[in-house]
Amino acid sequence: MPCAGITKVVTIGWHNAPMSVPVSQRSLAYLSTVPVTRVSGLSGKRGTALEKGGIKTVADLLLHVPRRYVDRSTQVELANVPVGEEVTVIVIVQKVNVRRVRKNLTIIDAVCTDGVGILNVTWFNQAFRAKQLTEGTEIALSGKVERYRGRLQMKSPVVDVLGSSSESLITGRVVPIHPSVGDVGPGHIRRAMHNALLRSMPMSDPLPESLLDRLDLMDRQAALGSIHFPEEMGDLAAARRRLVFDEFFRLEVALALTKNQRAHTSVGIRHVPDRGLSETFLSGLPFSTTGAQDRVLGEIMDDLFSEHPMHRLLQGEVGSGKTVVAVATLLVVVAGGYQGAIMAPTEVLAGQHYLGVTDLLVGAGMTSHPVRDQASLFDVAVSDVADSEPDRPVVVALLTGSNSELSTQIDASRSDVLEAIASGGVDIVIGTHALIQEGVDFAKLGAAVIDEQHRFGVHQRISLKAKAGEQDPDLLIMTATPIPRTLSMTLYGDLDVSLLDEMPPGRMPVATSEISKGAMEPVYELIRSEVAAGRQAFVVCPLVEESDKIEAVSATAEHARLAKVFADLRVGLLHGQMKPAEKEVVMDAMRAGEIDVLVATTVIEVGIDIANATVMVIEDAERFGLSQLHQLRGRVGRGEHASYCVLVADPTTDEGIARIAAMVATTDGFRLAEEDLRIRGQGTVFEARQAGTADLRIADLLRDLEILVDARREAFAMVGDRLTLDDEIGREVEAILGDRKDWLFVS
Ligand code: ADP
Ligand code: MG
C-alpha cells in the first residue's frame, strides 16, 4: 500500500542529506539517530525549538502524531451554516483589526470568507491572534455561528490555523493538526513531517508478517503515512492501532528482557524455615485470615522457597490486611535464619508500621517487646536475646534518624540498633526507604517489604544485595493504590502481581455524600451525634497547592473556627509544619480517644489507623484528585462501626463534578482508578508522569487495554528466555526507550 495521503506533494529531502539512503537505514531505530534538525525546514530555530520540546530525532518527530484532524469533507459552507449550533467552518482571513478598548480589554475583529459568504469573528484579549491570523491564512473555526443584523458572526471560537491558502498540504480532504511544540505551530510541523516521511520511505517493518497477519495489523510505513496525512478519517483507526501496538510492544519487550536479565544475573535465597514462626503467628491472630490473604501468602511462599528472588507487587485496598501478609512473609524468612526489613515512605509511617507489627506480634505472644507504655514511637528498643535459642522472641527494631529532630532524640541508641542489625541481633528492621539507600549493614538480609502506600508513582530504582553472600533478597512491594490492569502491566510490568481483593469480614462500606459549602449544619450535627456515641471525626482542610506553610496556616485558622463551632468538644490539630514529636503527641491523643474532632491537612492521608474514627469530612473536596480522596476516605470505616465520608464541594469543572460523583457512587478502589483514568485521560494518570507511562505518546492506557494485552503476550513470546535481542526490534527498543528504561523498572 502506498503511503496514504502524501503522494501529491513533492517537496523532498532532508537538509544536506544525500538523496539515496540505503533501505537498511530506514528503520525507526536508524531514524532515531538522525537529528531532527536534518529535516528540511527544521535546520534553524524551529529545529532547536523542537529539540527543546523533546523532539530530538526524526523518529521522535514521526511519533509526534496529530492531536486532531480537520475533515474538509464534512465542512459546512457559510451559506448553509446552522445558526446557533456548534460547527467547524473553514475560512480564509481577509482582514484583521485590533482595538484596544481600555486598559484591560483588547478586541480582535477578523473578517473571513469561504469564497462565497462572509463571517465576522471576534476575540477578546487575545492580542496574539493578530500575528497568527495574517491575511490569506486558512483557518478552521469551531464554535457557534450567530446571526447579527443579517451578518454571520462567531465569538471567541477555537482556532486551528491550517496554513497559507495556496499551500498544497492543506488541500487534501483531511488536514492534520499536530500539537505545537514551543513556538512551532501545526503548519510548520506539518510541512516538516511531510518532508521527514517522504525522506524515510520505504521504511522497514521490524515485525514479522505472520504476526501482522495474525493480529490484523497494518504495516508500519502505511500506518505512519495515514496517521499524519490520512486520505480520509476512516483510515485513522487502523493506523493508530498499529502505532499503539508498537508503542506497547517496545515497552513490553523491554520489560521481558529486564525480567530475564534479572533472573539470569541474580541468585535468590531458598528459604528453609527451621521453625513454624509464621504458622504460630497466623494461628495466634485474633481473627482468621481471609481467603485472599491465604491465596496471596501461598503465592509468596512459592517464591520464598524457590531460588529465584521474589519480585512481587502486592496490591490491596487500604485495610485489606497487607500488614498481616507482610509479617507472615518476614517470619518465614526469620525462621530460615535471615533478617527482614519493612520500609515505608516516611518516618511517621515507619513509626506506624512499627506499632502495627509489634502489636500483631505481641498479640500472638511472639515478642515481649516493649511497645507503647515504655517506649514512645521514636524510641528504639532492642531486646537482648541469645542468637541460637530456638524459641527466642522475634526482635523488631525501628530505625529512624535521617531526620535531624528525631536523631537528637535517639542518637545514642541508633548506633546500638545499627550494631544489632549488623550482628544479626535484630530479626525485623522497620524504617524508611533510606534503610537501603543509605546502605545499612545487615548481617543477613533475606527479604524486604517496601510499602509504597499510594505513592507508587515515585518508586525509585531499588537495589538490594544481601550482605552475606551474593544472593539477592526477596522483594515484596505493597501498594494500596488500586492500579488499573493497564498500569500494572506497564508501570510494574516486570513484577509478579498478587491481589488482596477481599476485605476482612464485617467491614461496612463508608457512606459517602456530597454537600455544598453553604450547608454545613447537617455535617456538624453528624459529627456531634457520632461523638455523642463515643466515636471520633476527621476534618481535612482544603488543599493548598505547593505550600505546606500556607496549608498549615489555613488549617490552624480552620481549627480555631471549628473549636468555636464545637465549643463543647475536644478539637485537635495536625499539620505538616508541626515537629514530629508534636505530631506524635496529637496522634497518641487521637488514638487514646482524647480528641473528638481532629482538624488536619493531608498529612493524615496515609497510614493512620484509628478504628474508632467514623466521620471523614473533606473540605473543598473538588480540589483533590480521586486517588487522594479515596485514600482519605480509607481513614474511616476501619472498625466495626458504620462510617461516613462527607465531601464538602461545589465543583464547577466537568472533571471536578465527575470526581465527586464517582466518589459518591462507589467505594471500590479499582473502579475509582479506572474512572480516574477515564476522567483525566492520558499522560496525567495518578503521578505516573514521573514513572514512565507518560512516555506513551500515542497509546491511551484506558482505551487501549486490549492492544496492550496483545502486545504483552506477543512481546513475551518473542523474547522467550533470551537476555538481549540483537535484531532490529532490539535496536528499536534500545533506541526509542533508551535511558528511560532505567527508571521504568525495579531491579
Ligand atoms: P492494610 O495494610 O492493607 O491497610 P492492615 O494490614 O493494616 O491493612 O489491616 C487493617 C486492619 O484489619 C488491622 O487492624 C488488621 O489487624 C485487621 N485485619 C487484617 N486481616 C484481617 C482479617 N483476616 N480479619 C479481620 N481483621 C483483619
Ligand atoms: Mg497498612
Side-chain angles (χ1 to χ4, degrees), residues 423-541:
S423 69
V426 172
D427 297 313
I428 296 176
V429 184
I430 300 177
T432 64
H433 294 178
L435 264 187
I436 289 302
Q437 281 147 10
E438 287 174 2
V440 169
D441 210 358
F442 285 86
K444 248 184 143 184
L445 181 62
V449 173
I450 298 178
D451 187 2
E452 295 207 326
Q453 296 285 347
H454 69 303
R455 301 165 195 221
F456 71 92
V458 295
H459 82 257
Q460 294 141 348
R461 244 174 115 77
I462 297 147
S463 195
L464 292 174
K465 283 275 178 223
K467 297 289 167 180
E470 280 308 291
Q471 290 162 310
D472 281 356
D474 289 289
L475 178 64
L476 182 69
I477 299 175
M478 307 198 293
T479 174
T481 304
I483 305 173
R485 206 145 69 94
T486 35
L487 276 183
S488 60
M489 266 193 275
T490 49
L491 208 53
Y492 284 115
D494 59 332
L495 303 183
D496 298 310
V497 178
S498 286
L499 197 56
L500 273 185
D501 51 3
E502 183 187 346
M503 289 300 243
R507 298 282 165 80
M508 276 173 283
V510 180
T512 304
S513 57
E514 178 191 357
I515 198 159
S516 164
K517 277 167 216 158
M520 290 291 285
E521 200 45 47
V523 183
Y524 299 152
E525 307 246 291
L526 172 69
I527 291 177
R528 282 198 191 96
S529 72
E530 285 295 299
V531 170
R535 307 283 86 78
Q536 293 162 284
F538 295 107
V539 177
V540 176
C541 294

Side-chain angles (χ1 to χ4, degrees), residues 54-76:
I55 298 182
K56 301 200 166 82
T57 69
V58 175
D60 291 336
L61 183 66
L62 294 180
L63 296 176
H64 183 68
V65 301
R67 73 183 143 83
R68 54 197 214 94
Y69 302 83
V70 173
D71 184 359
R72 289 174 178 279
S73 66
T74 60
Q75 93 186 57
V76 193

Side-chain angles (χ1 to χ4, degrees), residues 200-222:
S200 9
M201 284 194 290
M203 192 184 291
S204 60
D205 195 325
L207 295 184
E209 243 177 88
S210 57
L211 191 157
L212 297 183
D213 283 350
R214 189 154 36 83
L215 297 179
D216 195 21
L217 289 169
M218 201 177 206
D219 99 87
R220 173 173 284 171
Q221 171 173 317

Side-chain angles (χ1 to χ4, degrees), residues 206-271:
L207 295 184
E209 243 177 88
S210 57
L211 191 157
L212 297 183
D213 283 350
R214 189 154 36 83
L215 297 179
D216 195 21
L217 289 169
M218 201 177 206
D219 99 87
R220 173 173 284 171
Q221 171 173 317
L224 282 170
S226 289
I227 203 86
H228 291 294
F229 297 99
E231 288 278 14
E232 38 190 279
M233 297 298 274
D235 297 346
L236 287 173
R240 184 177 176 282
R241 191 164 153 263
R242 167 62 204 262
L243 299 177
V244 168
F245 182 88
D246 284 359
E247 189 157 51
F248 283 142
F249 189 76
R250 284 190 287 269
L251 191 63
E252 296 298 336
V253 164
L255 289 166
L257 290 172
T258 306
K259 210 172 168 175
N260 290 350
Q261 286 159 8
R262 191 168 55 212
H264 182 74
T265 55
S266 56
V267 182
I269 301 163
R270 195 190 285 276
H271 295 276

Side-chain angles (χ1 to χ4, degrees), residues 322-323 353 451 453 638:
K322 295 186 294 297
T323 311
H353 268 305
D451 187 2
Q453 296 285 347
R638 301 174 74 81

